[in-house]
Amino acid sequence: MGLSPEVISSVPHKVGMISLGCAKNLVDAEIMLGNASANGFVVTSDASDADVLIVNTCGFIDSAKQESIDAILDARRHPDQRLVVSGCLAQRYREELARELPEVDAFIGLDEIPKVADVLTNVLSRPASSGTLPLLISPKSRYIPDYDTPRFRLTPRHSSYVKIAEGCNHPCSFCVIPQMRGRHRSRTIPSVVAEVRNLVAEGVKEFNLISQDTTYFGMDLWERKAGPRQPVDSSRGPTLVTLLDELAKIEGDFWLRLLYTHPAHWSDELIGAIASNPKVVKYVDMPLQHIEEGMLSTMRRETSRQHIEDLILRMRAGIPGLAIRTTFIVGFPGETEEQFEGLLEFIERVRFERLGVFQYSQEEGSRAAKMEEQLPLRVKSARFRKAMRLQQLIAGEVAKAQVGHKIRILADQPQIGRTAHDAPDVDCRVILSEPVQVGEFVDVEVTGTNVYDLLATPLAATPRRKRA
């Protein structure tokens, strides 16, 4: 039997969240919980204790889609619990999911996340499993958060993701993100600055700036101002460089980190801004996906091998102490053994400090999914293993070169931290011999390695008390 509206309004109900996928999706989850909390819901970390559970899905690749479906099917814990599905999978497959998953009480899209409390109230006012609400999904996503958008942060107190833009304009043939999240749209610089300033006041020490293409930040704003047929003068409008300059003016000791940059939009001005800004860590996340000219063209990456090679040289010359993180796709349709070996040669020669490899996933709705010469799984898997073995050797050598050095880390746990060259969740760790204060910067000396991770001793470790 369903709860009456009177009960709904008088009893604070609990909302739980299962968020899957990338950091950008995590920010969406935080916004949903923030809206729910601001409207009287109590956030619980125990999914089985929630009156209504939100599964925030990812729909990027097949494995992520399957994980999302599994999470939805496993989510219902008791008969009266309501279930709401949000995120990229809901946005992309709204009609199909509604037909196949009648146990879901509501599906919401990306533009509905800032008003999720209304959806939760609606589903709680109806009997459980009474059929889904009408699909609350805008076909083309246009939403972007603002500095005063309520958020219930799911990251540690000292670290936060700040979404500076949403959507993507790139036509990469393997990707369907533009279909799900719409065209690129930037926040204003005052909005981002206000959010970071507020979080600094709350004690945040690390800001990870994210979007589908961070380096494109602001360009859409001055392109619209110039008009479709007018030449664009970037000096008249906001850019990532301008944003970094403004963020540097905020008082406090904190890190700024750039994630998800695209090689097509880098400039010498941006390189100089990173080098000269003491608050921007000397770390660049720049997914390259491949290096062979034929693959870059087929992938529609809007760049060339020569551009990438030159850019990396300029970055390392212009930003002392730089660490570059990148990702590559192996087993893309038509990738020859010679092209794959060319990629390995590039990885071995450039020696990226941080690197990830993905096996190509044939994504429904993408241009690449329709291409001939789809490679068998065994080929993709073999190439993945070979590339990762090579990177493991490089990463081990990069880590060993740090032994004996004194570095600064940010403590995530009493005996685990990260260097400025390590983003949360995806990069290496520093394992400490003594406990330190969580959420603080600590100077340590590197004493050894554990393949990817560093072993270190705090330079100002608090001595343990002797037993009486």
Side-chain angles (χ1 to χ4, degrees), residues 47 56 75 116 133 157 166 175 218 269 293 299 321 395 398 403 414 424 468:
N56 192 33
V116 71
L133 295 173
R157 184 176 182 274
E166 181 59 275
C175 183
E269 185 183 14
E293 205 70 59
M299 290 179 175
V398 169
V403 175

Side-chain angles (χ1 to χ4, degrees), residues 35 47 120 285 441:
N35 179 260
L120 304 185
D285 171 42
F441 292 116

Side-chain angles (χ1 to χ4, degrees), residues 23 91 103 130 168 204 223 247 250 307 328 336 364-365 386 404 437 443 465:
Q91 182 76 33
E103 60 265 58
S130 63
C168 184
V204 175
E223 281 176 348
L247 292 175
I250 300 175
H307 173 85
F328 292 109
T336 66
E364 179 185 357
K386 191 170 184 179
Q437 183 66 41
D443 293 322
R465 293 183 180 180

Side-chain angles (χ1 to χ4, degrees), residues 381-413:
S381 298
R383 291 179 181 178
F384 168 81
R385 291 191 298 270
K386 191 170 184 179
M388 288 308 300
R389 281 197 299 268
L390 171 60
Q391 180 57 24
Q392 187 177 49
L393 293 173
I394 295 171
E397 293 171 357
V398 169
K400 288 178 183 177
Q402 293 296 308
V403 175
H405 287 228
K406 296 178 176 62
I407 59 176
R408 192 187 199 207
I409 68 165
L410 180 60
D412 288 327
Q413 298 177 35

Side-chain angles (χ1 to χ4, degrees), residues 198-226:
N198 291 341
L199 290 171
V200 168
E202 294 177 12
V204 175
K205 297 294 182 68
E206 176 184 52
F207 297 91
N208 301 286
L209 306 184
I210 60 173
S211 69
Q212 270 71 36
D213 178 4
T214 307
T215 35
Y216 198 72
F217 173 80
M219 293 185 186
D220 58 310
L221 299 177
W222 43 259
E223 281 176 348
R224 287 200 297 268
K225 185 177 180 180

Side-chain angles (χ1 to χ4, degrees), residues 52-64:
V52 56
L53 180 64
I54 303 172
V55 179
N56 192 33
T57 61
C58 177
F60 184 47
I61 58 176
D62 283 341
S63 59

